[in-house]
Amino acid sequence: MTRRKYVVGNWKMNGLKSALGEARSIFAAADAHPGVDVALCPPFTLIGAMAATAPGKAVGGQDCHSAASGAFTGSVAAPMLADAGASLVIVGHSERREGFGERDADIRAKAQAALAAGLSVILCVGEPQGVRESGGAIAYVLAQVEGSVPDSFDPQRFAIAYEPIWAIGTGLVPTVADVAAMHGAIRGALRERFGDAAESIRILYGGSVNGDNAAELLGAGDVDGALVGGASLTAAKFVPIIAAAAGL
Ligand code: PEP
């Protein structure tokens, strides 16, 4: 089964309208690599403008509420993301799990809401440093997969991002062998639950990916792409990651 490489930028709480030119440069450069799917997830405030300035490109949200509408001050619903021009959304990022108390059941509900709104989903999992050091990383992450991945979805519209928390924004990365072992374990769990459909689900790696380490990390077994934070903010840093994915 061949899965297309998928490289996704998570701008987190960064980006004003003045950053739209950077997004245009990224998408224009990505056109030179038609074998790689590229998406950018800016803050909510930029989704509409980014989708308008880059027609046909994949623009996404970084979170959504599990309800379609209602009295949830400050929240944004999945149908609103779609209405603004988004085609995907990240759910369960560790900064949401840790900073906003999101649990697996919440993330599962958000993923279901996003799928129902016609969005593609990138669902994040990943262990804290202490769990990695104690040797429990695979069991921890598989429990997150079990608890947060919905029971039914179109596998073409669903990806998992394995992001060890200690590797996010730190410059630390796991060994390629550890990444391959984790991705293989996730694939195995998906196979047990979803059978052959599991082969179509892309599993991305995230955590301090840059132009220098991308080829090695993305070349590891069962790694289908990257979720990139800091290095996705500029074309100068993000395009080499896309190019590395294209070269695999
Ligand atoms: C992320 O937060 O999804 C991420 C991977 O960040 P960074 O690339 O900056 O480590």
Side-chain angles (χ1 to χ4, degrees):
M1 166 88 217
T2 311
R3 291 176 293 271
R4 285 172 60 83
K5 293 283 186 219
Y6 193 17
V7 177
V8 182
N10 170 15
W11 279 15
K12 308 193 183 189
M13 199 173 72
N14 297 292
L16 302 174
K17 278 183 276 186
S18 54
L20 289 173
E22 211 63 51
R24 276 192 299 272
S25 301
I26 288 168
F27 284 126
D31 284 345
H33 304 290
V36 181
D37 292 336
V38 174
L40 285 177
C41 298
F44 290 133
T45 48
L46 281 186
I47 289 173
M50 192 180 285
T53 199
K57 303 302 183 190
V59 175
Q62 301 168 13
D63 180 40
C64 65
H65 200 279
S66 56
S69 63
F72 302 103
T73 300
S75 294
V76 173
M80 294 170 178
L81 292 179
D83 188 52
S87 57
L88 70 142
V89 64
I90 297 168
V91 296
H93 191 282
S94 62
E95 287 154 16
R96 302 288 321 170
R97 289 178 183 263
E98 297 215 311
F100 297 85
E102 293 186 8
R103 298 151 307 160
D104 285 337
D106 304 315
I107 293 154
R108 182 186 170 105
K110 287 177 179 218
Q112 284 167 327
L115 293 163
L119 298 172
S120 296
V121 167
I122 299 173
L123 190 149
C124 303
V125 293
E127 82 285 356
Q129 187 153 22
V131 171
R132 167 61 62 180
E133 285 167 0
S134 69
I138 288 182
Y140 184 95
V141 167
L142 293 190
Q144 288 182 320
V145 169
E146 175 66 25
S148 54
V149 173
D151 284 330
S152 91
F153 50 83
D154 172 359
Q156 307 287 345
R157 286 206 288 132
F158 194 83
I160 290 181
Y162 166 56
E163 300 204 305
I165 296 171
W166 50 273
I168 293 178
T170 59
L172 301 172
V173 285
T175 65
V176 172
D178 282 344
V179 172
M182 182 63 81
H183 283 233
I186 294 171
R187 179 83 56 208
L190 294 173
R191 240 181 240 129
E192 270 183 30
R193 198 160 147 201
F194 300 109
D196 289 348
E199 305 305 327
S200 304
I201 300 172
R202 291 185 284 193
I203 307 176
L204 315 183
Y205 167 77
S208 296
V209 176
N210 58 43
D212 294 331
N213 62 22
E216 198 183 15
L217 289 164
L218 272 67
D222 272 301
V223 178
D224 303 312
L227 180 56
V228 184
S232 71
L233 292 170
T234 61
K237 289 190 173 167
F238 196 42
V239 174
I241 298 172
I242 299 167
L248 293 168

